Amino acid sequence: MEAYILKHNDFRTRISSRSGGAFTAISDLILDKGGVIYGVTLIDNIYARHIRVETVEGRNSMRGSKYIQSSIGDCYKKALEDLKNEKWVLFSGTPCQIAGLKTFLGKEYEKLVTVDIACYGVPSPKIWRDYISYLEKLCKKKVVKANFRNKYKFGWVAAKETITFDDSSKKDFGIFTNLFYSNKILRPSCYQCPFKTLDRASDFTIGDAWGIDKANPEFNDDNGVSIVLVNTEKALALFISIQCATTKVVNISDYMQPPFQYAHKSPDNRENFWKYYRDHSFGQVVEKYKNEVRMKKIKQTLKRKLHL
Ligand SMILES: Cc1cc2nc3c(=O)[nH]c(=O)nc-3n(C[C@H](O)[C@H](O)[C@H](O)COP(=O)(O)OP(=O)(O)OC[C@H]3O[C@@H](n4cnc5c(N)ncnc54)[C@H](O)[C@@H]3O)c2cc1C
Ligand code: SF4
C-alpha cells in the first residue's frame, strides 16, 4: 500500500467534492475507458441511494459525502452484468458495501476497480427522514435539497448541514451533524466494524487528509485535500496516469485517523437515547440532547484551556 495526498487541479471540482476531489480524478480514468461508475447520489436531492451512471454529469451527482446509509438497490446485480459484458466498472461505497459486492461477485474481475471511503460510520436513514419531516414542520416549508457539508460557506473542516426550502430560501443547521458525531445514531454494525484497518479489500481508499496541518501544511489551502491509499497493483497503474490533480507520496503514520484504526465504542447511553427517541417527538429529542451537546462542547473547551 502506498499513501498519497491529492488535490484536484480544477477549483470547482474540489469545492464540490468532500475532500480533494480524489473520487473525480479516479472515476474520470474509468469514464475515459468507456466504463461505468457506481456511487451514491441524493434521490430528490435528499435520500441517499447507489446508482449506476455512464456520464460525467451523472458522476458529478455523486460528489459530496452523504452522512447516511445508502440503499444499494440492484447495483450489485447491474455491476455483475456490466463485468460480464467486459465493461470497466468503478464501484464506490463504504468498506462494508465493497466487501458485500466482492462476496456477491464471488471472484475477481480484471476490469473492476473498487473505491472505499475512510468511514466514520453511517447513521440510520430513518432518523434522517424524521429530521427532514421535523424541519418541514418547524419551518412550515418543504425541504427540496440537503447539503451535508457546505464547503462554499464554511470551508473544508467545519460541519453543518445546509437545507434548501421550496421558496428557495436556505438555512444552516447543526442538529443532524451533532447527533452524528455524538455516535448515538450509527448503525449497530458500525460499533463492531471489522474494516477499520489499513489492510483494505478495495483498490483505493479515499478520505480527508486529516493530519495535513502538521505533516504537509504547504499543501493545504482549506479547500480540501484527499488522502488516497493505493492498495493494489491495478490501482497503482491507474493512479500514476492521473494528470488532473497534484499528488504527493506521504507517510501514512502522519495521517492516521479512527477509520484506519478502531471502531467507535457504542455510547453507554445509546439505548436510553433510542428508547427516548421512540417515545417522544423529534422536537423533544432535539431539546433534550442539544443541552448534552452544549455541555460536551463546554467541557472540551475547558479541557483545552486548562491544558494550556
Ligand atoms: C458516511 C461517511 C462517513 C465518512 N467518514 C469519514 C471519516 O471518518 N474520515 C474521513 O477522512 N472521511 C470520511 N468520509 C468522507 C470520505 O472520506 C469522502 O467521501 C472522501 O474523502 C471522498 O472525497 P472526494 O473529495 O474524493 O470526493 P467526493 O466526490 O466528495 O466523493 C464522493 C464519494 O463518496 C461516496 N459516498 C458519498 N456518500 C456516501 C454514502 N452515504 N455511502 C457510501 N459512499 C458514499 C460516493 O459514492 C463517492 O464515491 C465519510 C463519508 C461518508 C459518506
Ligand atoms: S463503519 Fe464499518 S460497518 Fe459502518 S458503514 Fe462504515 S464500513 Fe460499514
Side-chain angles (χ1 to χ4, degrees), residues 94-96 119 121-122 189-190 193 195-196:
T94 60
C96 56
C119 185
V122 286
S189 51
C190 299
C193 177
F195 304 104
K196 307 272 182 166

Side-chain angles (χ1 to χ4, degrees), residues 93-155:
T94 60
C96 56
Q97 288 171 333
I98 301 299
L101 171 73
K102 292 209 160 187
T103 307
F104 176 80
L105 295 176
K107 65 172 200 166
E108 294 293 322
Y109 286 85
E110 211 184 306
K111 291 188 173 171
L112 171 68
V113 177
T114 50
V115 180
D116 68 16
I117 55 173
C119 185
Y120 186 93
V122 286
S124 142
K126 173 179 166 43
I127 205 161
W128 176 248
R129 281 195 304 272
D130 292 350
Y131 177 49
I132 295 294
S133 304
Y134 160 76
L135 289 181
E136 289 185 339
K137 271 191 207 137
L138 183 76
C139 302
K140 298 188 179 62
K141 297 174 202 172
K142 203 170 157 32
V143 172
V144 292
K145 195 173 173 187
N147 180 349
F148 287 81
R149 287 210 183 205
N150 187 343
K151 242 174 151 184
Y152 285 101
K153 192 163 173 188
F154 298 110

Side-chain angles (χ1 to χ4, degrees), residues 16-24 38-40 48 50 62-70 92-94 97 115 117-123 151 180 206-210 226-227 257 259:
S16 54
S17 305
R18 170 63 200 109
S19 54
F23 169 66
T24 297
Y38 289 84
V40 181
H50 262 79
M62 297 170 176
R63 285 179 182 157
S65 291
K66 297 94 190 169
Y67 294 110
I68 28 171
Q69 185 178 27
S70 76
S92 67
T94 60
Q97 288 171 333
V115 180
I117 55 173
C119 185
Y120 186 93
V122 286
K151 242 174 151 184
F180 179 38
I206 55 177
D208 291 281
W210 304 136
S226 299
I227 183 86
Q257 52 162 311

